[in-house]
CSV table of all heavy atoms in Angstrom, one decimal:
chain,number,residue,atom,x,y,z
W,33,GLU,N,124.2,102.9,86.5
W,33,GLU,CA,123.4,103.8,87.3
W,33,GLU,C,122.7,104.9,86.6
W,33,GLU,O,121.6,105.3,86.9
W,33,GLU,CB,124.3,104.3,88.5
W,33,GLU,CG,123.5,104.9,89.6
W,33,GLU,CD,124.3,105.2,90.8
W,33,GLU,OE1,124.5,104.3,91.6
W,33,GLU,OE2,124.9,106.3,90.9
W,34,ALA,N,123.4,105.5,85.6
W,34,ALA,CA,122.8,106.7,84.9
W,34,ALA,C,121.6,106.2,84.1
W,34,ALA,O,120.6,106.9,84.1
W,34,ALA,CB,123.9,107.3,84.0
W,35,ALA,N,121.7,105.1,83.4
W,35,ALA,CA,120.6,104.6,82.7
W,35,ALA,C,119.4,104.2,83.6
W,35,ALA,O,118.3,104.4,83.3
W,35,ALA,CB,121.0,103.4,81.8
W,36,PHE,N,119.8,103.6,84.7
W,36,PHE,CA,118.8,103.2,85.7
W,36,PHE,C,118.0,104.5,86.2
W,36,PHE,O,116.8,104.5,86.2
W,36,PHE,CB,119.4,102.5,86.9
W,36,PHE,CG,118.5,102.0,87.9
W,36,PHE,CD1,117.3,101.4,87.6
W,36,PHE,CD2,118.8,102.2,89.3
W,36,PHE,CE1,116.5,100.9,88.6
W,36,PHE,CE2,118.0,101.7,90.3
W,36,PHE,CZ,116.8,101.1,89.9
W,37,ARG,N,118.8,105.5,86.6
W,37,ARG,CA,118.2,106.8,87.1
W,37,ARG,C,117.3,107.4,86.0
W,37,ARG,O,116.2,107.9,86.3
W,37,ARG,CB,119.3,107.7,87.5
W,37,ARG,CG,118.7,109.0,88.2
W,37,ARG,CD,119.8,109.9,88.6
W,37,ARG,NE,120.9,109.3,89.3
W,37,ARG,CZ,122.2,109.2,88.9
W,37,ARG,NH1,122.5,109.7,87.7
W,37,ARG,NH2,123.1,108.6,89.6
W,38,ALA,N,117.7,107.3,84.7
W,38,ALA,CA,116.9,107.9,83.7
W,38,ALA,C,115.5,107.2,83.6
W,38,ALA,O,114.5,107.9,83.1
W,38,ALA,CB,117.6,107.7,82.3
W,39,LEU,N,115.4,106.0,83.9
W,39,LEU,CA,114.1,105.3,83.9
W,39,LEU,C,113.1,105.9,84.9
W,39,LEU,O,111.9,105.7,84.8
W,39,LEU,CB,114.2,103.8,84.2
W,39,LEU,CG,115.0,103.0,83.2
W,39,LEU,CD1,115.3,101.6,83.7
W,39,LEU,CD2,114.2,102.9,81.9
W,40,TYR,N,113.6,106.6,85.9
W,40,TYR,CA,112.7,107.2,86.9
W,40,TYR,C,112.8,108.7,87.0
W,40,TYR,O,112.2,109.3,87.9
W,40,TYR,CB,113.1,106.6,88.3
W,40,TYR,CG,112.8,105.1,88.4
W,40,TYR,CD1,113.7,104.1,88.0
W,40,TYR,CD2,111.5,104.7,88.8
W,40,TYR,CE1,113.3,102.8,88.0
W,40,TYR,CE2,111.2,103.3,88.9
W,40,TYR,CZ,112.1,102.4,88.4
W,40,TYR,OH,111.8,101.0,88.5
W,41,LEU,N,113.4,109.4,86.1
W,41,LEU,CA,113.5,110.8,86.1
W,41,LEU,C,112.2,111.4,85.6
W,41,LEU,O,111.7,111.1,84.6
W,41,LEU,CB,114.6,111.3,85.2
W,41,LEU,CG,116.0,111.3,85.8
W,41,LEU,CD1,117.0,111.9,84.8
W,41,LEU,CD2,116.1,112.1,87.1
W,42,TYR,N,111.7,112.4,86.4
W,42,TYR,CA,110.4,113.0,86.1
W,42,TYR,C,110.6,114.5,86.3
W,42,TYR,O,111.3,115.0,87.2
W,42,TYR,CB,109.4,112.5,87.1
W,42,TYR,CG,108.0,113.2,87.0
W,42,TYR,CD1,107.2,113.0,86.0
W,42,TYR,CD2,107.6,114.1,88.0
W,42,TYR,CE1,106.0,113.6,85.9
W,42,TYR,CE2,106.4,114.8,87.9
W,42,TYR,CZ,105.6,114.5,86.8
W,42,TYR,OH,104.4,115.2,86.8
W,43,THR,N,110.0,115.3,85.4
W,43,THR,CA,110.0,116.7,85.5
W,43,THR,C,108.6,117.3,85.7
W,43,THR,O,107.8,117.2,84.8
W,43,THR,CB,110.6,117.3,84.2
W,43,THR,OG1,111.9,116.8,84.0
W,43,THR,CG2,110.8,118.9,84.4
W,44,PRO,N,108.3,117.7,86.9
W,44,PRO,CA,106.9,118.3,87.1
W,44,PRO,C,106.8,119.6,86.4
W,44,PRO,O,107.8,120.3,86.1
W,44,PRO,CB,106.8,118.4,88.6
W,44,PRO,CG,108.3,118.5,89.1
W,44,PRO,CD,109.1,117.7,88.1
W,45,ALA,N,105.6,120.1,86.2
W,45,ALA,CA,105.4,121.3,85.5
W,45,ALA,C,106.1,122.5,86.3
W,45,ALA,O,105.9,122.6,87.5
W,45,ALA,CB,103.9,121.6,85.4
W,46,GLY,N,107.0,123.2,85.6
W,46,GLY,CA,107.7,124.3,86.2
W,46,GLY,C,108.8,123.8,87.1
W,46,GLY,O,109.4,124.7,87.8
W,47,GLY,N,109.1,122.6,87.2
W,47,GLY,CA,110.1,122.1,88.1
W,47,GLY,C,111.3,121.6,87.4
W,47,GLY,O,111.5,121.7,86.2
W,48,THR,N,112.2,121.0,88.2
W,48,THR,CA,113.4,120.4,87.7
W,48,THR,C,113.4,118.9,87.7
W,48,THR,O,112.7,118.3,88.5
W,48,THR,CB,114.7,120.9,88.5
W,48,THR,OG1,114.5,120.5,89.8
W,48,THR,CG2,114.8,122.4,88.4
W,49,PRO,N,114.0,118.2,86.8
W,49,PRO,CA,114.0,116.8,86.8
W,49,PRO,C,114.6,116.2,88.0
W,49,PRO,O,115.6,116.7,88.6
W,49,PRO,CB,114.9,116.4,85.6
W,49,PRO,CG,115.2,117.6,84.8
W,49,PRO,CD,114.9,118.8,85.7
W,50,HIS,N,113.9,115.2,88.5
W,50,HIS,CA,114.4,114.4,89.7
W,50,HIS,C,113.8,113.0,89.7
W,50,HIS,O,112.8,112.8,89.0
W,50,HIS,CB,114.1,115.2,91.0
W,50,HIS,CG,112.6,115.4,91.2
W,50,HIS,ND1,111.9,116.4,90.7
W,50,HIS,CD2,111.7,114.6,91.9
W,50,HIS,CE1,110.6,116.3,91.1
W,50,HIS,NE2,110.5,115.2,91.8
W,51,VAL,N,114.3,112.2,90.5
W,51,VAL,CA,113.8,110.8,90.6
W,51,VAL,C,112.4,110.9,91.3
W,51,VAL,O,112.2,111.4,92.3
W,51,VAL,CB,114.7,109.9,91.5
W,51,VAL,CG1,114.0,108.6,91.8
W,51,VAL,CG2,116.0,109.7,90.8
W,52,ARG,N,111.4,110.3,90.5
W,52,ARG,CA,110.1,110.2,91.0
W,52,ARG,C,109.3,109.2,90.2
W,52,ARG,O,108.9,109.4,89.1
W,52,ARG,CB,109.3,111.5,90.9
W,52,ARG,CG,107.9,111.5,91.6
W,52,ARG,CD,107.1,112.7,91.4
W,52,ARG,NE,107.7,113.9,92.0
W,52,ARG,CZ,107.0,115.0,92.3
W,52,ARG,NH1,105.7,115.1,92.1
W,52,ARG,NH2,107.7,116.1,92.7
W,53,GLY,N,109.3,108.0,90.7
W,53,GLY,CA,108.7,106.9,90.0
W,53,GLY,C,108.2,105.8,90.8
W,53,GLY,O,108.5,105.6,92.0
W,54,TRP,N,107.3,104.9,90.2
W,54,TRP,CA,106.6,103.8,90.9
W,54,TRP,C,106.7,102.6,90.0
W,54,TRP,O,106.7,102.7,88.8
W,54,TRP,CB,105.2,104.2,91.1
W,54,TRP,CG,105.1,105.5,91.9
W,54,TRP,CD1,105.1,106.8,91.5
W,54,TRP,CD2,104.9,105.5,93.4
W,54,TRP,NE1,105.0,107.6,92.5
W,54,TRP,CE2,104.8,106.9,93.7
W,54,TRP,CE3,104.7,104.6,94.4
W,54,TRP,CZ2,104.6,107.3,95.0
W,54,TRP,CZ3,104.5,105.0,95.7
W,54,TRP,CH2,104.5,106.4,96.0
W,55,TRP,N,106.6,101.4,90.6
W,55,TRP,CA,106.4,100.2,89.8
W,55,TRP,C,105.3,99.4,90.5
W,55,TRP,O,105.1,99.5,91.7
W,55,TRP,CB,107.6,99.5,89.5
W,55,TRP,CG,108.6,99.2,90.6
W,55,TRP,CD1,109.7,99.9,90.9
W,55,TRP,CD2,108.5,98.2,91.7
W,55,TRP,NE1,110.4,99.3,92.0
W,55,TRP,CE2,109.6,98.3,92.5
W,55,TRP,CE3,107.6,97.2,91.9
W,55,TRP,CZ2,109.9,97.4,93.6
W,55,TRP,CZ3,107.8,96.3,93.0
W,55,TRP,CH2,108.9,96.5,93.8
W,56,VAL,N,104.7,98.5,89.7
W,56,VAL,CA,103.7,97.6,90.2
W,56,VAL,C,104.1,96.2,90.1
W,56,VAL,O,104.6,95.8,89.0
W,56,VAL,CB,102.3,97.8,89.4
W,56,VAL,CG1,101.3,96.8,89.8
W,56,VAL,CG2,101.8,99.3,89.7
W,57,ARG,N,103.9,95.3,91.1
W,57,ARG,CA,104.3,93.9,91.0
W,57,ARG,C,103.2,93.1,91.7
W,57,ARG,O,102.7,93.4,92.8
W,57,ARG,CB,105.6,93.7,91.7
W,57,ARG,CG,105.9,92.2,91.9
W,57,ARG,CD,107.1,91.9,92.7
W,57,ARG,NE,108.3,92.3,91.9
W,57,ARG,CZ,109.4,92.9,92.4
W,57,ARG,NH1,109.4,93.1,93.7
W,57,ARG,NH2,110.4,93.2,91.7
W,58,ARG,N,102.8,92.0,91.0
W,58,ARG,CA,101.9,91.0,91.7
W,58,ARG,C,102.8,90.2,92.6
W,58,ARG,O,103.8,89.6,92.1
W,58,ARG,CB,101.2,90.1,90.7
W,58,ARG,CG,100.3,89.1,91.4
W,58,ARG,CD,99.8,88.1,90.5
W,58,ARG,NE,100.8,87.4,89.7
W,58,ARG,CZ,100.7,86.2,89.3
W,58,ARG,NH1,99.5,85.6,89.4
W,58,ARG,NH2,101.6,85.6,88.6
W,59,VAL,N,102.4,90.1,93.9
W,59,VAL,CA,103.3,89.3,94.8
W,59,VAL,C,102.7,88.0,95.3
W,59,VAL,O,103.4,87.2,95.8
W,59,VAL,CB,103.7,90.2,96.0
W,59,VAL,CG1,104.6,91.4,95.6
W,59,VAL,CG2,102.4,90.7,96.8
W,60,ALA,N,101.3,87.9,95.0
W,60,ALA,CA,100.7,86.6,95.4
W,60,ALA,C,99.3,86.5,94.7
W,60,ALA,O,98.7,87.5,94.4
W,60,ALA,CB,100.5,86.6,96.9
W,61,THR,N,98.9,85.3,94.6
W,61,THR,CA,97.5,85.0,94.1
W,61,THR,C,97.0,83.8,94.8
W,61,THR,O,97.7,82.8,95.0
W,61,THR,CB,97.5,84.7,92.6
W,61,THR,OG1,98.0,85.8,91.9
W,61,THR,CG2,96.1,84.3,92.1
W,62,ALA,N,95.8,83.9,95.3
W,62,ALA,CA,95.1,82.8,95.9
W,62,ALA,C,93.8,82.5,95.1
W,62,ALA,O,93.1,83.5,94.8
W,62,ALA,CB,94.7,83.1,97.4
W,63,ALA,N,93.6,81.3,94.8
W,63,ALA,CA,92.4,80.9,94.0
W,63,ALA,C,91.5,80.1,94.9
W,63,ALA,O,91.9,79.2,95.6
W,63,ALA,CB,92.8,80.2,92.8
W,64,THR,N,90.2,80.4,94.8
W,64,THR,CA,89.2,79.6,95.5
W,64,THR,C,88.1,79.2,94.5
W,64,THR,O,87.6,80.1,93.8
W,64,THR,CB,88.5,80.5,96.6
W,64,THR,OG1,89.6,80.9,97.5
W,64,THR,CG2,87.5,79.7,97.4
W,65,SER,N,87.6,78.0,94.6
W,65,SER,CA,86.5,77.5,93.7
W,65,SER,C,85.2,78.0,94.4
W,65,SER,O,85.0,77.6,95.6
W,65,SER,CB,86.5,76.0,93.6
W,65,SER,OG,87.6,75.6,92.8
W,66,VAL,N,84.4,78.7,93.7
W,66,VAL,CA,83.2,79.2,94.3
W,66,VAL,C,82.0,78.3,93.7
W,66,VAL,O,80.9,78.4,94.3
W,66,VAL,CB,82.9,80.7,94.0
W,66,VAL,CG1,83.9,81.5,94.8
W,66,VAL,CG2,83.0,81.0,92.6
W,67,SER,N,82.2,77.6,92.6
W,67,SER,CA,81.3,76.7,92.1
W,67,SER,C,82.0,75.8,91.1
W,67,SER,O,83.2,76.0,90.9
W,67,SER,CB,80.2,77.5,91.3
W,67,SER,OG,80.6,78.0,90.1
W,68,SER,N,81.3,74.8,90.5
W,68,SER,CA,82.0,73.9,89.6
W,68,SER,C,82.5,74.6,88.4
W,68,SER,O,83.4,74.1,87.6
W,68,SER,CB,81.1,72.7,89.3
W,68,SER,OG,80.0,73.2,88.6
W,69,ALA,N,81.9,75.8,88.1
W,69,ALA,CA,82.3,76.5,86.9
W,69,ALA,C,83.1,77.8,87.1
W,69,ALA,O,83.5,78.4,86.1
W,69,ALA,CB,81.0,76.8,86.1
W,70,ARG,N,83.2,78.2,88.3
W,70,ARG,CA,83.9,79.5,88.6
W,70,ARG,C,84.9,79.4,89.7
W,70,ARG,O,84.7,78.7,90.7
W,70,ARG,CB,82.8,80.6,89.0
W,70,ARG,CG,81.9,81.0,87.8
W,70,ARG,CD,80.9,82.0,88.2
W,70,ARG,NE,81.6,83.3,88.5
W,70,ARG,CZ,80.9,84.4,88.9
W,70,ARG,NH1,79.7,84.3,89.1
W,70,ARG,NH2,81.6,85.5,89.1
W,71,ALA,N,85.9,80.2,89.5
W,71,ALA,CA,86.9,80.4,90.6
W,71,ALA,C,87.1,81.8,90.9
W,71,ALA,O,86.9,82.7,90.0
W,71,ALA,CB,88.3,79.8,90.1
W,72,LEU,N,87.4,82.1,92.1
W,72,LEU,CA,87.7,83.5,92.5
W,72,LEU,C,89.2,83.6,92.7
W,72,LEU,O,89.8,82.9,93.5
W,72,LEU,CB,87.0,83.8,93.8
W,72,LEU,CG,87.3,85.2,94.4
W,72,LEU,CD1,86.8,86.3,93.5
W,72,LEU,CD2,86.7,85.3,95.8
W,73,ASP,N,89.8,84.5,92.0
W,73,ASP,CA,91.3,84.8,92.2
W,73,ASP,C,91.4,86.1,93.0
W,73,ASP,O,90.8,87.1,92.7
W,73,ASP,CB,91.9,85.1,90.8
W,73,ASP,CG,92.2,83.8,90.1
W,73,ASP,OD1,92.2,82.7,90.7
W,73,ASP,OD2,92.4,83.8,88.8
W,74,VAL,N,92.2,86.0,94.0
W,74,VAL,CA,92.6,87.2,94.9
W,74,VAL,C,94.0,87.4,94.6
W,74,VAL,O,94.9,86.7,95.0
W,74,VAL,CB,92.3,86.9,96.4
W,74,VAL,CG1,92.6,88.1,97.2
W,74,VAL,CG2,90.8,86.5,96.6
W,75,HIS,N,94.3,88.6,93.9
W,75,HIS,CA,95.6,89.0,93.6
W,75,HIS,C,96.1,90.0,94.6
W,75,HIS,O,95.4,90.9,94.9
W,75,HIS,CB,95.7,89.6,92.2
W,75,HIS,CG,95.4,88.6,91.1
W,75,HIS,ND1,96.1,87.5,90.8
W,75,HIS,CD2,94.3,88.6,90.3
W,75,HIS,CE1,95.6,86.9,89.8
W,75,HIS,NE2,94.5,87.5,89.5
W,76,SER,N,97.3,89.8,95.1
W,76,SER,CA,97.9,90.8,96.0
W,76,SER,C,99.0,91.6,95.2
W,76,SER,O,99.8,90.9,94.6
W,76,SER,CB,98.6,90.1,97.2
W,76,SER,OG,97.6,89.5,98.0
W,77,TRP,N,98.9,92.9,95.2
W,77,TRP,CA,99.8,93.7,94.5
W,77,TRP,C,100.6,94.6,95.4
W,77,TRP,O,100.2,95.0,96.5
W,77,TRP,CB,99.0,94.7,93.6
W,77,TRP,CG,98.1,94.0,92.6
W,77,TRP,CD1,96.7,93.6,92.9
W,77,TRP,CD2,98.4,93.6,91.3
W,77,TRP,NE1,96.2,93.0,91.7
W,77,TRP,CE2,97.2,92.9,90.8
W,77,TRP,CE3,99.5,93.6,90.6
W,77,TRP,CZ2,97.2,92.4,89.5
W,77,TRP,CZ3,99.5,93.1,89.3
W,77,TRP,CH2,98.3,92.5,88.8
W,78,GLU,N,101.9,94.8,95.0
W,78,GLU,CA,102.8,95.7,95.7
W,78,GLU,C,103.0,96.9,94.7
W,78,GLU,O,103.3,96.7,93.6
W,78,GLU,CB,104.1,95.0,96.0
W,78,GLU,CG,105.0,95.9,96.8
W,78,GLU,CD,106.3,95.2,97.2
W,78,GLU,OE1,106.2,94.4,98.1
W,78,GLU,OE2,107.3,95.3,96.5
W,79,VAL,N,102.9,98.1,95.3
W,79,VAL,CA,103.2,99.3,94.5
W,79,VAL,C,104.4,100.0,95.3
W,79,VAL,O,104.2,100.3,96.5
W,79,VAL,CB,102.0,100.3,94.5
W,79,VAL,CG1,102.4,101.6,93.7
W,79,VAL,CG2,100.8,99.6,93.8
W,80,ARG,N,105.5,100.1,94.6
W,80,ARG,CA,106.7,100.7,95.3
W,80,ARG,C,107.1,102.0,94.6
W,80,ARG,O,107.1,102.0,93.4
W,80,ARG,CB,107.8,99.7,95.2
W,80,ARG,CG,109.1,100.1,95.8
W,80,ARG,CD,109.2,99.7,97.3
W,80,ARG,NE,110.3,100.4,98.0
W,80,ARG,CZ,111.2,99.7,98.6
W,80,ARG,NH1,111.3,98.4,98.6
W,80,ARG,NH2,112.2,100.4,99.2
W,81,GLY,N,107.4,103.0,95.4
W,81,GLY,CA,107.7,104.3,94.8
W,81,GLY,C,108.8,105.0,95.5
W,81,GLY,O,109.2,104.7,96.6
Side-chain angles (χ1 to χ4, degrees):
E33 195 169 270
F36 182 47
R37 188 178 312 115
L39 292 171
Y40 292 89
L41 277 181
Y42 173 74
T43 306
T48 57
H50 63 274
V51 170
R52 187 185 300 200
W54 302 83
W55 50 257
V56 171
R57 171 184 289 142
R58 178 187 57 155
V59 294
T61 297
T64 304
S65 293
V66 293
S67 73
S68 61
R70 290 180 69 180
L72 175 65
D73 283 339
V74 181
H75 297 292
S76 297
W77 301 92
E78 181 177 283
V79 178
R80 179 89 192 240

